[in-house]
Amino acid sequence: MGDYNGRPNFLLKSATGLLWKNLPPDLEALVSMPNMASAIRNFALGPRGLYCLTQHSGGSSNVWSVLAEDWKGGCPLRVTFGPDGYVWGEKEWMDPNTGGHLVQAFGKQPPKLTSESSKRHPSLKSFEINFVALGKASSWVVGTQLSGPFWSGIPKKLEETMNREIGAGQLIVNLVLCPMREDIYWIEYWDGTIDFSLPTDWDLNAIGGHIMQHVNVKVFRSPFEVLASPSSSTSLSPLNPQDSLYDFVLKEFSKGWLHPTKQPAPQVHHIYEIALPSALRASFVDYVATIEAKRKHTASGLPQGNQAFGWHGTRRTCGLGDNPSFLRLCSSRGCATCCILKTSFDQGQAGHAPNRNFLRFGKAIYTSSASSKSDDYQVSERSQYRSLIFARMVKGKSKQMAKGDKTLQTNPAGYDSVDGIVGKELNYDETCLYVKDAIRPAFLVLYR
């Protein structure tokens, strides 16, 4: 949301398509083009007709923007406009000296936002930020993966709404403020519900109808819900594109495909949800409860046990998932994918894969938020597709490590996991688990 010619404007994207009000003529002409809803990668509106929009185009990105920013051959990932020249954004580009893929925050933020962020999270990285909302009179809201949202200067009605929903256990995944009107806002929650306060002269029936069409065809579920198998063995079920979990997994796969040498990203063809036998499910749920009781993550607005997701690449010697109507796990001991789906991950198997015995952080179960990195470790035989497991894990209190330690076989003292952070030794992150009940396979993704 922003404003143009002194009046608020908006651009809304959902499964229904695009809906807008009072856009600058050049932007309106752009979003009116055929198939633009599916082509848009990201967009933002700002005051006085400012906007930034990126569109996928065969693996590269076209950028339309009136933002004075040197993209250095790259493009913006996220942009949020505020009043008085304030802007927060994140851009990706290729370092001309090293050829490496870089993601960097940019912009000018209200001084109190900068100071409060530094105070709460001194080493906060841009990828750990879920959203930044900049509003009128230097008001702002920041949502991070490290804690619940924090804010300053927002109107009482919005603050009461947020406190009520957070107190009821809701997780805010996105929030938009209007930079010129404090009475306009939009909140999206993890379960797919929405709160908003919009101008009365907007066509609220049209906006509501647009949203309801989207909601009616979407099934909203939390990714932290561990599905139980109806039988004593693991079962797989194909996710429908109208399921919110399909969107969640696809977004994480695309967001994590970072290697510049692997562009364009491959196309995802099948996503399967994994339902676990009762014993595997119960032991994981119990471990979540144990870590939560110890660390009390929900008090900081985090999921129970500081749960997260990570990609894991391994060997698949069968055609599991190639045909959605045939989802029987194979019996080969050499098919690591089926073995993991049957009995979950085994720390004892770390380093057993051919040419994959470099264990930077010792004998652990390794995952990464970078799907393109985990792709290096996958081997698919007898299949036209490559495959990755998207795992649900309990990070608890994670130790941030920039330097490897091959001697590790258990969690470092006082911690529940290890996060290998990007630096001199790592180009892409790793999360390492040393307790088998801290991780379970959640989704199987096939792509090519």
Side-chain angles (χ1 to χ4, degrees):
M1 293 184 289
D3 79 279
Y4 176 64
N5 282 342
R7 294 183 293 117
N9 63 359
F10 74 88
L11 176 61
L12 173 64
K13 176 185 174 183
S14 76
T16 312
L18 295 173
L19 187 68
W20 61 84
K21 175 81 170 179
N22 190 36
L23 297 183
D26 56 338
L27 179 57
E28 183 165 3
L30 190 63
V31 299
S32 299
M33 294 171 59
N35 304 315
M36 200 60 181
S38 59
I40 287 178
R41 182 185 188 188
N42 211 337
F43 62 87
L45 303 181
R48 301 178 303 282
L50 287 175
Y51 67 86
C52 183
L53 182 146
T54 58
Q55 176 198 14
H56 281 301
S57 179
S60 62
S61 293
N62 298 325
V63 183
W64 289 269
S65 176
V66 291
L67 176 65
E69 176 68 28
D70 181 6
W71 302 118
K72 300 181 185 295
C75 70
L77 291 174
R78 297 183 287 174
V79 176
T80 298
F81 292 102
D84 306 319
Y86 292 131
V87 63
W88 178 88
E90 188 181 54
K91 61 185 176 183
E92 60 178 349
W93 53 290
M94 188 175 295
D95 189 327
N97 298 318
T98 66
H101 176 89
L102 299 175
V103 176
Q104 184 180 47
F106 68 90
K108 171 190 173 185
Q109 291 84 51
K112 190 170 182 179
L113 188 158
T114 303
S115 62
E116 187 67 19
S117 295
S118 299
K119 178 181 176 181
R120 288 174 175 260
H121 307 296
S123 58
L124 183 67
K125 307 296 190 301
S126 63
F127 67 83
E128 295 172 325
I129 298 174
N130 292 332
F131 63 84
V132 174
L134 302 175
K136 185 179 179 181
S138 299
S139 61
W140 49 265
V141 183
V142 177
T144 77
Q145 300 174 18
L146 305 179
S147 67
F150 54 100
W151 56 82
S152 174
I154 61 176
K156 183 178 180 181
K157 178 183 176 182
L158 174 57
E159 186 168 25
E160 289 175 348
T161 298
M162 292 173 62
N163 282 329
R164 182 186 68 244
E165 297 300 326
I166 293 171
Q170 281 279 27
L171 293 177
I172 299 174
V173 297
N174 190 34
L175 190 148
V176 182
L177 300 175
C178 179
M180 308 307 289
R181 290 265 301 269
E182 66 176 13
D183 60 327
I184 301 176
Y185 60 81
W186 179 278
I187 310 174
E188 299 174 15
Y189 301 103
W190 191 253
D191 64 358
T193 56
I194 296 168
D195 271 321
F196 58 82
S197 175
L198 303 176
T200 56
D201 59 343
W202 285 3
D203 189 345
L204 300 185
N205 288 330
I207 294 173
H210 198 79
I211 297 169
M212 289 310 299
Q213 288 182 56
H214 176 56
V215 172
N216 284 341
V217 298
K218 281 286 182 183
V219 178
F220 292 98
R221 294 189 290 145
S222 169
F224 298 113
E225 176 187 354
V226 186
L227 199 63
S229 174
S231 67
S232 60
S233 58
T234 300
S235 61
L236 273 66
S237 57
L239 281 177
N240 190 299
Q242 303 306 326
D243 192 314
S244 63
L245 292 184
Y246 187 99
D247 287 346
F248 167 71
V249 177
L250 182 62
K251 179 181 178 181
E252 293 301 311
F253 181 89
S254 301
K255 186 171 68 174
W257 199 268
L258 300 176
H259 283 57
T261 57
K262 291 186 175 185
Q263 303 300 329
Q267 180 180 352
V268 171
H269 287 265
H270 301 293
I271 301 177
Y272 298 99
E273 186 173 16
I274 301 166
L276 300 172
S278 58
L280 282 179
R281 181 184 184 277
S283 55
F284 179 79
V285 171
D286 288 346
Y287 186 75
V288 172
T290 298
I291 296 300
E292 177 58 29
K294 181 179 180 181
R295 304 296 186 192
K296 297 178 173 52
H297 291 291
T298 56
S300 300
L302 295 173
Q304 282 194 339
N306 192 19
Q307 292 177 74
F309 288 83
W311 297 99
H312 182 85
T314 190
R315 182 179 295 274
R316 182 170 61 107
T317 63
C318 67
L320 176 69
D322 286 15
N323 184 347
S325 63
F326 186 79
L327 297 173
R328 182 178 300 170
L329 277 61
C330 78
S331 58
S332 171
R333 292 185 178 181
C335 184
T337 295
C338 285
C339 289
I340 290 172
L341 298 190
K342 288 177 182 177
T343 61
S344 193
F345 296 87
D346 181 0
Q347 183 186 0
Q349 295 299 313
H352 282 198
N355 303 318
R356 293 290 185 262
N357 56 4
F358 182 76
L359 303 177
R360 188 182 306 275
F361 297 102
K363 208 167 184 63
I365 301 164
Y366 285 75
T367 71
S368 176
S369 68
S371 50
S372 57
K373 173 176 181 169
S374 298
D375 174 72
D376 288 344
Y377 296 84
Q378 76 81 37
V379 177
S380 292
E381 303 171 4
R382 305 176 187 174
S383 174
Q384 59 180 317
Y385 301 110
R386 289 136 74 189
S387 66
L388 288 178
I389 295 172
F390 199 35
R392 182 183 288 110
M393 54 191 176
V394 183
K395 294 176 65 173
K397 183 181 180 182
S398 186
K399 184 173 184 178
Q400 310 290 300
M401 297 181 64
K403 185 177 181 181
D405 183 352
K406 295 183 179 181
T407 67
L408 288 174
Q409 295 193 35
T410 60
N411 286 318
Y415 294 91
D416 308 306
S417 62
V418 165
D419 274 329
I421 59 177
V422 175
K424 291 183 178 180
E425 295 190 9
L426 280 174
N427 294 320
Y428 305 94
D429 67 71
E430 295 178 349
T431 295
C432 304
L433 291 309
Y434 301 85
V435 177
K436 64 180 182 179
D437 285 333
I439 183 169
R440 290 291 184 267
F443 304 95
L444 179 67
V445 178
L446 272 60
Y447 59 98
R448 66 179 178 188

